[in-house]
Amino acid sequence: MANKKNLTAVFELMTMLSQLVFDPQMIQKTKLSKNELLILALIKDATQSSMSELAKAIGTSPAQVTRSVTSLENKKLVQRTINPQNRRIIIVTLTHQGNALFSQHEQAVQTKLQQQLINVPAADYERLNLAIKQAVAILKPTLQQNK
């Protein structure tokens, strides 16, 4: 039962963070869809991704990723190149414009989160920050193994 409570807490945290990152007003400013924004985030984190990696990470069809990447490419936010080692693989990377737009969105999310946490006592904020860092340190290697 303790594991279920822990998973519930993780799910609740993920939901809250998702609502913050995908706030409709903030997304509207980027002029991107949620999928497009998620693709930019995944590429920024990995520096480059294949189309199939993006589809798997998002949990959507390759056709949907292709539509989203085409839209991002038309907006000059990403570029596609053919993998020189395997010409069947298309690699997607951020352009300078894509990196700048995502960085602006990331900064806006951080600012909003800071505003929401402004009344949290310093000791609680430090505990929260430490807990999140520990969670990331635990989850990141595990999630990367499962790719």
Side-chain angles (χ1 to χ4, degrees):
M1 198 62 154
N3 285 341
K4 185 170 176 71
K5 287 182 182 176
N6 288 340
L7 291 177
T8 300
V10 169
F11 185 76
E12 188 175 350
L13 177 61
M14 288 172 46
T15 301
M16 287 188 290
L17 293 174
S18 177
Q19 289 170 349
L20 179 66
V21 171
F22 296 114
D23 176 281
Q25 291 175 338
M26 295 172 87
I27 288 181
Q28 189 175 14
K29 289 178 185 176
T30 66
K31 298 182 178 150
L32 301 175
S33 69
K34 286 182 183 180
N35 267 359
E36 291 171 341
L37 193 58
L38 189 52
I39 287 170
L40 291 183
L42 290 167
I43 296 170
K44 183 169 182 165
D45 189 42
T47 64
Q48 67 178 26
S49 295
S50 71
M51 298 287 279
S52 58
E53 289 170 339
L54 291 171
K56 184 178 176 185
I58 295 172
T60 192
S61 69
Q64 178 58 47
V65 169
T66 298
R67 282 191 293 275
S68 295
V69 168
T70 298
S71 174
L72 290 168
E73 195 172 38
N74 290 339
K75 295 171 186 171
K76 310 237 184 285
L77 301 175
V78 300
Q79 63 183 20
R80 287 187 256 205
T81 55
I82 296 172
N83 182 332
Q85 284 82 33
N86 185 344
R87 296 186 52 79
R88 294 176 296 177
I89 297 174
I90 304 296
I91 301 296
V92 184
T93 55
L94 285 180
T95 63
H96 291 295
Q97 289 171 297
N99 195 27
L101 179 69
F102 187 78
S103 292
Q104 285 175 338
H105 178 72
E106 199 171 32
Q107 184 61 47
V109 169
Q110 288 177 9
T111 300
K112 185 172 181 178
L113 184 57
Q114 286 173 341
Q115 289 169 349
Q116 291 180 342
L117 295 175
I118 198 125
N119 294 324
V120 174
D124 288 346
Y125 181 83
E126 289 304 318
R127 285 191 4 246
L128 174 64
N129 197 33
L130 179 62
I132 291 171
K133 284 180 181 179
Q134 289 172 335
V136 168
I138 291 167
L139 291 173
K140 196 170 194 174
T142 303
L143 296 175
Q144 286 176 341
Q145 284 177 351
N146 294 332
K147 283 187 176 181

